[in-house]
Amino acid sequence: MTGASTGPIGVLEPDNRASRQQRSIRGEKRLPDAQSAAFRRRSWAERSRGSRVGQSAGERLPQRARWAGQGLSAPRSGGLCEQLGRDYFGVCSEPVIKDNVVVVYEVLEEMLDNGFPLATESNILKELIKPPTILRTVVNTITGSTNVGDQLPTGQLSVVPWRRTGVKYTNNEAYFDVIEEIDAIIDKSGSTITAEIQGVIDACVKLTGMPDLTLSFMNPRLLDDVSFHPCVRFKRWESERILSFIPPDGNFRLLSYHVSAQNLVAIPVYVKHNISFRDSSSLGRFEITVGPKQTMGKTIEGVTVTSQMPKGVLNMSLTPSQGTHTFDPVTKMLSWDVGKINPQKPPNLKGTMSLQAGASKPDENPTINLQFKIQQLAISGLKVNRLDMYGEKYKPFKGIKYMTKAGKFQVRT
């Protein structure tokens, strides 16, 4: 297999960063190494002027600037800090951040340089700031050392700054997850008021050396509002609708996209409902049924139905045909854990509501919120055609997985 030219890869000599470690374990202001910081700033500026592999000056424009020039709106960012939090701590939550505030501060300081993004790749940041472990925390407490690495990453100043050099694996593999979220509002009659898809392609690439990958799609024209990882060669995407890139090592988000055309958004579930309140009556009727719709034969699982009931509802006596339900008389929140939907027997929840005596009829019926997921289905119809590798002679393991799940999915009654 012929190798794609990647150009020379620069390697930084080991840099003594001991002066950057002159701070206490708990929150003392960090004393930056001015020389190494200026060196990194200069290298970042040089890369931004023209050293990115296979990219022209037009390709190096910030992605959101290119959207503005094309009259497009930028899709949601996908939560870079949240992703890094999961990579470092396993879960990103307020208690975890509070417990690791020093590490969070150190990571953010490496990510930004004078207010501008410098290093945002997880594998690069983990070489700069070591992820916390119980053993490392104990050693740091005893010795007074920190999680700051002694050397800059080997790939930090190369023309491919998102990938470290000298990567070696016994098992070479590349896996991609296409994950789509549906945001939709369905009216009382079952018609779609608004619907859109927020999609991402997450990658886990563990390949030896410096591979050059191309990823093609069966229907790439679906992707018209896209945010790419910096490794993607934008000019080739514009001309051929093919993703060409030298991947980072490990987990990363290759791209995120937004589909807002309602004719391209298929609603995979339906909800039949009968919620009624009667004047001068202390009882109301409640019944909902959830079933599959346009799922291409795939199973809908993890279904959860929630509804905020009016204040006049004192209690609910309901019987589910499947799953379990709860109603909180204080918060007036109804929750029904459905689980997996059987297309031959759609799950149903029905019963009566106890209302305040003498209270007037509620002004409006409650809304129903759904959560669900469908494995091995991208509801937009996006499909990966093939993945090719250049620059290396081995044959990697390759895999693609699709998943659709509900985002903000609301049914009005």
Side-chain angles (χ1 to χ4, degrees):
M1 186 177 294
T2 58
S5 175
T6 60
I9 305 298
V11 180
L12 177 68
E13 293 298 326
D15 176 24
N16 183 5
R17 302 177 67 197
S19 60
R20 304 190 68 183
Q21 302 177 5
Q22 299 176 9
R23 65 184 186 282
S24 67
I25 297 297
R26 305 300 296 178
E28 182 180 332
K29 184 177 180 181
R30 185 170 178 171
L31 300 177
D33 185 337
Q35 184 176 5
S36 63
F39 191 47
R40 285 198 309 243
R41 281 197 297 271
R42 187 166 62 251
S43 70
W44 178 265
E46 289 169 354
R47 290 200 304 274
S48 299
R49 281 196 297 267
S51 60
R52 193 172 287 175
V53 175
Q55 295 183 341
S56 63
E59 293 180 76
R60 291 187 301 275
L61 284 173
Q63 180 63 41
R64 294 177 184 262
R66 292 201 294 268
W67 291 327
Q70 299 169 11
L72 299 176
S73 62
R76 294 189 288 206
S77 63
L80 174 62
C81 292
E82 183 179 352
Q83 295 175 46
L84 290 172
R86 288 196 296 266
D87 285 344
Y88 262 82
F89 312 119
V91 63
C92 186
S93 63
E94 183 178 350
V96 171
I97 292 175
K98 286 182 178 179
D99 292 341
N100 298 276
V101 63
V102 175
V103 177
V104 172
Y105 172 81
E106 292 171 341
V107 172
L108 290 175
E109 192 175 30
E110 294 294 346
M111 290 176 65
L112 300 175
D113 190 56
N114 197 29
F116 294 94
L118 176 65
T120 57
E121 289 303 323
S122 177
N123 56 350
I124 297 296
L125 289 169
K126 285 181 179 179
E127 292 189 57
L128 291 167
I129 307 296
K130 304 297 183 183
T133 62
I134 296 177
L135 178 60
R136 186 172 290 130
T137 301
V138 172
V139 172
N140 290 348
T141 303
I142 296 175
T143 63
S145 58
T146 69
N147 291 329
V148 179
D150 294 330
Q151 299 178 356
L152 285 175
T154 55
Q156 182 74 355
L157 300 181
S158 74
V159 292
V160 195
W162 52 83
R163 184 176 180 85
R164 59 191 177 92
T165 59
V167 180
K168 292 184 179 180
Y169 287 102
T170 303
N171 296 321
N172 294 281
E173 53 191 20
Y175 299 111
F176 296 86
D177 293 340
V178 180
I179 304 172
E180 295 186 343
E181 282 192 6
I182 303 179
D183 297 337
I185 298 177
I186 312 299
D187 68 8
K188 186 175 182 179
S189 64
S191 301
T192 302
I193 299 176
T194 180
E196 59 183 21
I197 295 172
Q198 308 288 346
V200 299
I201 298 182
D202 289 334
C204 178
V205 178
K206 298 180 179 180
L207 300 176
T208 300
M210 194 66 65
D212 199 324
L213 304 181
T214 60
L215 187 69
S216 60
F217 300 93
M218 300 281 288
N219 40 7
R221 297 298 170 182
L222 289 171
L223 304 175
D224 60 349
D225 191 355
V226 191
S227 171
F228 295 107
H229 187 280
C231 68
V232 175
R233 299 182 178 100
F234 185 65
K235 187 173 182 179
R236 185 168 182 188
W237 168 259
E238 279 193 317
S239 60
E240 303 178 36
R241 281 296 189 264
I242 291 177
L243 293 179
S244 175
F245 57 99
I246 295 177
D249 179 44
N251 298 307
F252 66 99
R253 178 152 294 174
L254 182 61
L255 65 88
S256 59
Y257 58 94
H258 176 216
V259 179
S260 58
Q262 290 196 20
N263 60 327
L264 298 176
V265 181
I267 304 300
V269 297
Y270 69 83
V271 178
K272 294 180 179 180
H273 49 81
N274 181 15
I275 303 175
S276 59
F277 302 93
R278 298 178 182 178
D279 291 323
S280 66
S281 175
S282 61
L283 291 178
R285 181 170 180 79
F286 184 95
E287 181 177 1
I288 57 175
T289 302
V290 183
K293 173 185 175 183
Q294 302 184 68
T295 62
M296 289 91 168
K298 305 298 183 181
T299 302
I300 303 177
E301 55 189 30
V303 180
T304 303
V305 179
T306 58
S307 182
Q308 181 68 52
M309 304 305 293
K311 294 181 179 179
V313 177
L314 298 178
N315 209 338
M316 303 184 73
S317 177
L318 304 175
T319 302
S321 65
Q322 175 182 327
T324 59
H325 80 284
T326 58
F327 176 72
D328 190 335
V330 178
T331 63
K332 312 299 183 183
M333 179 63 69
L334 170 67
S335 178
W336 179 25
D337 187 359
V338 181
K340 186 182 297 185
I341 293 181
N342 182 358
Q344 278 71 41
K345 191 178 180 181
N348 175 272
L349 178 67
K350 63 180 179 179
T352 59
M353 299 177 286
S354 300
L355 309 177
Q356 289 181 354
S360 60
K361 180 181 176 181
D363 296 332
E364 57 185 20
N365 281 353
T367 58
I368 299 172
N369 299 295
L370 265 72
Q371 290 294 321
F372 57 84
K373 59 183 178 180
I374 308 172
Q375 300 288 353
Q376 295 305 320
L377 174 67
I379 201 67
S380 67
L382 182 68
K383 290 185 178 180
V384 173
N385 182 25
R386 60 182 297 163
L387 174 68
D388 296 313
M389 185 183 72
Y390 304 92
E392 301 292 340
K393 296 182 179 180
Y394 56 83
K395 292 184 177 181
F397 296 101
K398 298 177 286 186
I400 180 75
K401 185 174 71 174
Y402 301 90
M403 185 174 73
T404 296
K405 59 183 180 179
K408 297 178 181 178
F409 197 97
Q410 184 183 96
V411 180
R412 295 176 178 174
T413 63

